[in-house]
Amino acid sequence: MKKIALLVLAVCMAASMDAQTSRKKIEKFADEAVRQIALTGRKPTIDILDSLSNNAEVSVEMVSRMGDPDDARQQRACLRLIDDIVDFSLQETGRKYTDVIRKGLTKALDRSFEPDVQLHVMEQLARIAKPADAAHIAMYLEMPELAQTASDILVNMPDIDDRIAEAAAAQPGIKQKVQTILDIRAGKRPKQTAVTTVAKPKPAAIPMWTESLNKEVAGMCHAPMPKADSILIRKDTPEALRDLLKMAANTEGTERNSILARFVTLAGQSAQTGSITAAEHYLMLRAADELVTDNTLRSKIIVDMGTTHSVQALSYLRRYTGKAPFIDAMAVATAETVSTHPEANGGRSVSAMLYSAKQSFINHYDEQGIDTYIDQVLAAIDNWKQAAGYDMSHTDQTKMEKRGFWILHEELDDCDLVFDWKASGRLTLSLHSSPVIMFDTTMGVKIAGENKWHKVKNICEWSTASVSLKGDAVTVSVNGQKVADGVKLPSMIDGEPMAKSGQTRFLADDDGATVRGYCFLRK
């Protein structure tokens, strides 16, 4: 007898575990479906819908309670999923699940405490209800929020007079309303309009959250700062930006943030009008980010860095990946940069940034313009490759003292390089073991084999460069200004033959130099 009892207990426990596992699987499918709807606005896959419909007695009731009242987007996605399950039951492949879906809807109706959710569920039940559901629906004639919908359903449902009469006898509170329904059905009163079961339209998109971010930063600009405003009025853009940055470095607290808000706003406007290049915009934002102490302003800086579409900006912003105050800002910056620089789409860091961006966009599903970002980040995730993209492993700031050098690669063939540098004197970049490019703060840029210096504009203490080497041709841009486009390098440099591959290194002069944000891409 004891063995039998233990066996029965074991069987019951196993059954319980199977049920629990089954419920976990259903919950997983439901959660994935809600995420899919919230992210893309599209119906879940047939496999997911089939699984949820097959288990609708659990899944529909579960989904009806998943909606977070404080997250309107997620709640709408849950209700949409219920609609999709009912739609599926009206198709040939899902018709076999109609009865179990009806049971799930009636459970959801009974167990929800949100009238809006109950109303939505009842409207969906109306689409597949059978006479057996009439008494259950009649129960809700006593609920003001649901009474009219319940009445509409019952008026138009055939062969239910006896059923709802029995329901009225058991529930006196609905007796009068049931009598009215019976009179309408018998033609003694005008027939009411049938319940509308058309899916609710998608709500109008609300402004993207970045709009409120811009308003907050604009509010910071309005704090009284006569000296900063005087700079904005009297000086041209590059000089005003330099002076605002210096002023911010010499103040603290809210005053500093107010100055930086003016700085960031002016820099953004200048980049839009072409007064400064995207590369210069990146340098200025990075300088501001090193001074800012306010999270709202830092979020604005991160978003604006994304609009520079700079690989160095992407490598710099990795420090904010996963940090709660900046998740949304990082999402926009990541999508902006990777969508315009697909060659940057590789490596574990970028993968983490893309998936974080995807999660952020789920939370902003119904905002204006979010569809574009959703498409960008999904496409980037699909095209991501571990071994692809710029190598960002050398981005830390590296200082070279007098005649100091920094060797990056012993052997590198055709490649693209990007980096920032700061030097009082001259910095030389060697490619394929030969000194190919000289960077001088005063003189500009000189390419091996040429007898001239290319002047460049410097509006920061830092400069940024992009170098592309293909065979014996080099293309160079500094601070967003192209100074060499496919210039053919000489076969001999400093008395040595130019090799097809070789060492890549930086060499400082007597004044030393500092390099940061170095990223390279093998071709």
Side-chain angles (χ1 to χ4, degrees), residues 83-98:
D83 298 351
D84 291 342
I85 291 172
V86 175
D87 288 344
F88 185 67
S89 74
L90 295 172
Q91 299 172 11
E92 187 64 35
T93 52
R95 203 163 290 158
K96 58 189 175 184
Y97 301 129
T98 300

Side-chain angles (χ1 to χ4, degrees), residues 160-465:
I160 61 165
D161 289 14
D162 291 344
R163 295 175 186 268
I164 60 175
E166 289 176 5
Q171 192 176 347
I174 64 171
K175 186 174 182 180
Q176 186 58 49
K177 291 182 179 179
V178 168
Q179 187 58 55
T180 300
I181 293 169
L182 291 172
D183 289 346
I184 293 171
R185 292 172 62 83
K188 296 178 182 179
R189 297 192 186 193
K191 190 174 182 179
Q192 299 174 350
T193 305
V195 63
T196 301
T197 58
V198 179
K200 293 181 179 178
K202 184 180 178 181
I206 58 177
M208 192 172 174
W209 66 270
T210 49
E211 185 172 314
S212 61
L213 175 66
N214 292 338
K215 288 179 180 178
E216 286 189 67
V217 174
M220 296 170 70
C221 292
H222 295 153
M225 290 293 298
K227 289 184 179 180
D229 292 336
S230 176
I231 290 172
L232 291 171
I233 294 169
R234 292 186 299 102
K235 299 189 177 183
D236 61 16
T237 296
E239 189 177 3
L241 287 169
R242 282 194 295 267
D243 287 355
L244 285 173
L245 200 59
K246 289 177 182 177
M247 183 181 291
N250 293 318
T251 57
E252 295 181 351
T254 56
E255 284 191 357
R256 171 184 284 187
N257 289 328
S258 181
I259 296 168
L260 288 175
R262 288 167 168 82
F263 174 89
V264 169
T265 301
L266 176 60
Q269 293 170 347
S270 301
Q272 288 180 348
T273 60
S275 299
I276 62 173
T277 66
E280 291 168 332
H281 193 199
Y282 149 71
L283 289 171
M284 293 191 155
L285 289 170
R286 181 158 177 174
D289 190 58
E290 292 170 359
L291 294 173
V292 73
T293 56
D294 179 83
N295 284 350
T296 297
L297 193 50
R298 176 161 280 130
S299 293
K300 173 64 174 172
I301 290 171
I302 291 170
V303 169
D304 285 1
M305 269 202 183
T307 66
T308 69
H309 302 155
S310 163
V311 175
Q312 292 109 304
L314 186 69
S315 68
Y316 175 74
L317 291 175
R318 290 181 301 167
R319 66 187 60 198
Y320 297 122
T321 302
K323 294 191 176 180
F326 312 117
I327 286 174
D328 291 340
M330 281 294 296
V332 174
T334 301
E336 280 281 353
T337 306
V338 175
S339 65
T340 53
H341 275 286
E343 66 274 17
N345 189 15
R348 285 180 294 179
S349 294
V350 174
S351 175
M353 294 166 78
L354 288 170
Y355 276 96
S356 179
K358 174 183 173 183
Q359 185 59 47
S360 167
F361 292 140
I362 289 175
N363 298 329
H364 293 278
Y365 167 66
D366 58 354
E367 295 178 0
Q368 293 174 353
I370 207 71
D371 288 348
T372 300
Y373 285 119
I374 288 173
D375 291 341
Q376 287 174 347
V377 77
L378 289 178
I381 288 172
D382 288 342
N383 295 319
W384 176 88
K385 293 180 181 177
Q386 169 67 41
Y390 272 87
D391 188 319
M392 300 180 184
S393 58
H394 303 286
T395 56
D396 290 344
Q397 187 165 300
T398 300
K399 187 174 182 179
M400 293 166 282
E401 302 294 346
K402 179 179 179 180
R403 293 292 171 182
F405 61 89
W406 183 26
I407 299 176
L408 278 306
H409 314 283
E410 291 295 344
E411 292 292 329
L412 193 61
D413 300 328
D414 293 348
C415 60
D416 289 340
L417 313 175
V418 292
F419 58 91
D420 303 338
W421 89 94
K422 180 174 66 172
S424 299
R426 190 167 297 175
L427 177 69
T428 301
L429 173 63
S430 291
L431 299 171
H432 295 187
S433 301
S434 297
V436 172
I437 309 168
M438 288 187 288
F439 301 91
D440 188 288
T441 305
T442 304
M443 301 295 291
V445 177
K446 187 177 181 182
I447 311 296
E450 294 188 334
N451 293 317
K452 61 180 180 179
W453 286 87
H454 301 272
K455 287 289 185 180
V456 295
K457 183 176 66 170
N458 296 291
I459 61 175
C460 277
E461 64 172 349
W462 284 89
S463 293
T464 186

